[in-house]
């Protein structure tokens, strides 16, 4: 079946029950037996199961379901790449009033705690009692499909389930105050993700995809994932050399220039603002600040 090549994996709400499924050709939803996407990845033959059920009487019209984040509750903190586009490295240094030497010899890794990821159409919590410099970061997120350890660069593609969009919402003054990024990026409602995971076989490797963000319809970020300083093969190979990456691990690959802190003066988010993150071949993730 041709649709299975472009498999969109989703988590959705239907009749009060959270379920996992795929969007098939024609846009209908095929529910799968697994209780969650994390659980599905531990099961053998899930893809064959999806193919067998495609077009069956059990499909649900897309209009009848409510999309949730594809992995609403990640098993582990999301692994993030910091300043992984050169132009964003420049604007970050400018915002922090630091000298920028133009070199990034090593990748910058940090983690982002997620209580529950925010779905497409959901709300970004402003935490206005704590933060007054709320920022957006559109990122290509890689989802690991099977447990990996000591993976060579040339084998990385075999371990990737697919790709989704992640908005790495950040409270800039909290990052600056604490001299690290964990708290300022990990507040509840700071991880919009979705709208689905598109399986890796739809893309060449490494994927070279246009990546953009808009605030209230205004284009803010506009780049391409081919400009990553440290590519997906490098990142997964390097990380797996020292840690086990479990199936379902989400890796956010970094954001291009055009974040709110990069403007002079900075252009941070406020309640009511609508942020749309768009990546070629995946779709658009749109959320409102409240």
């Amino acid at each position: 079946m041709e649709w299975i090549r472009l498999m969109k994996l989703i988590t959705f709400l239907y009749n009060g029950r959270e379920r996992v499924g795929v969007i098939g050709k024609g846009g209908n939803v095929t529910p799968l037996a697994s209780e969650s996407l994390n659980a599905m990845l531990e099961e053998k033959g899930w893809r064959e199961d999806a193919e067998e059920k495609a077009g069956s009487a059990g499909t649900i019209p897309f209009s009848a379901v409510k999309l949730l984040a594809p992995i609403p509750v990640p098993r582990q903190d999301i692994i993030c790449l910091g300043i992984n586009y050169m132009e964003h490295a420049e604007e970050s240094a400018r915002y922090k009033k630091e000298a920028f030497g133009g070199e990034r010899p090593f990748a910058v890794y940090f983690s982002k705690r997620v209580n529950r990821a925010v779905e497409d159409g959901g709300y970004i919590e402003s935490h206005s009692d704590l933060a007054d410099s709320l920022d957006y970061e559109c990122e290509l997120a890689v989802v690991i499909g099977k447990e990996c350890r000591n993976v060579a660069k040339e084998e990385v593609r075999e371990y990737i389930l697919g790709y989704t969009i992640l908005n790495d919402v950040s409270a800039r003054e909290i990052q600056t105050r604490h001299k690290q990024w964990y708290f300022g990026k990990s507040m509840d409602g700071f991880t919009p993700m979705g709208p689905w995971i598109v399986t890796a076989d739809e893309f060449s490797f490494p994927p070279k995809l246009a990546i953009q963000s808009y605030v209230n319809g205004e284009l803010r970020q506009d780049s391409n994932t081919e400009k990553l300083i440290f590519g997906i093969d490098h990142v997964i190979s390097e990380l797996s050399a020292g840690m086990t990456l479990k199936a379902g691990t989400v890796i956010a690959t970094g954001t291009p220039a055009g974040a709110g802190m990069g403007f002079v003066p900075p252009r941070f988010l406020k309640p009511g603002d609508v942020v749309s993150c768009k990546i070629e071949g995946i779709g658009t993730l749109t959320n409102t600040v409240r």
Side-chain angles (χ1 to χ4, degrees), residues 190-253:
F190 273 20
T191 311
M193 183 196 306
W196 38 63
I197 296 169
V198 179
T199 49
D201 51 4
E202 173 62 14
F203 305 97
S204 59
F205 188 82
K208 299 178 181 180
L209 309 173
I211 178 170
Q212 300 171 318
S213 71
Y214 298 80
V215 177
N216 301 327
E218 177 191 7
L219 180 64
R220 294 284 184 89
Q221 294 176 286
D222 189 9
S223 189
N224 194 290
T225 60
E226 69 177 333
K227 294 184 178 181
L228 290 172
I229 298 172
F230 297 97
I232 295 166
D233 56 347
H234 173 95
V235 168
I236 293 177
S237 180
E238 181 170 70
L239 289 174
S240 70
M243 65 173 72
T244 299
L245 301 177
K246 297 181 179 295
T249 295
V250 179
I251 302 174
T253 58

Side-chain angles (χ1 to χ4, degrees), residues 136-194:
Y136 53 89
E137 293 188 2
C138 180
E139 307 198 11
L140 174 69
V142 182
V143 183
I144 300 296
K146 57 183 178 180
E147 187 173 294
C148 58
R149 179 71 193 271
N150 293 322
V151 177
K153 285 185 178 182
E154 57 269 23
E155 298 173 349
V156 161
R157 188 176 187 178
E158 301 172 21
Y159 290 83
I160 297 174
L161 170 68
Y163 305 95
T164 189
I165 305 169
L166 188 144
N167 185 353
D168 180 19
V169 178
S170 309
R172 299 299 187 193
E173 85 279 17
I174 293 177
Q175 285 181 252
T176 303
R177 179 190 310 154
H178 291 277
K179 309 292 185 187
Q180 48 77 36
W181 300 342
Y182 191 70
F183 185 33
K185 288 176 172 283
S186 298
M187 294 184 187
D188 293 349
F190 273 20
T191 311
M193 183 196 306

Side-chain angles (χ1 to χ4, degrees), residues 73-79 112 114 244-246 249-250:
V73 183
R75 283 179 173 164
Q76 299 174 308
D77 286 0
I78 291 173
I79 299 172
K112 183 179 179 82
V114 182
T244 299
L245 301 177
K246 297 181 179 295
T249 295
V250 179

Side-chain angles (χ1 to χ4, degrees), residues 86-120:
M86 194 60 71
E87 292 174 349
H88 179 58
E90 294 172 1
E91 70 179 5
S92 177
R94 184 171 61 248
Y95 174 73
K96 293 182 288 186
K97 298 179 172 60
E98 296 175 350
F100 177 64
E103 295 182 358
R104 291 292 171 195
F106 301 104
V108 175
Y109 298 112
F110 63 95
S111 62
K112 183 179 179 82
R113 180 169 292 274
V114 182
N115 179 48
R116 186 174 178 89
V118 180
E119 71 277 5
D120 178 43

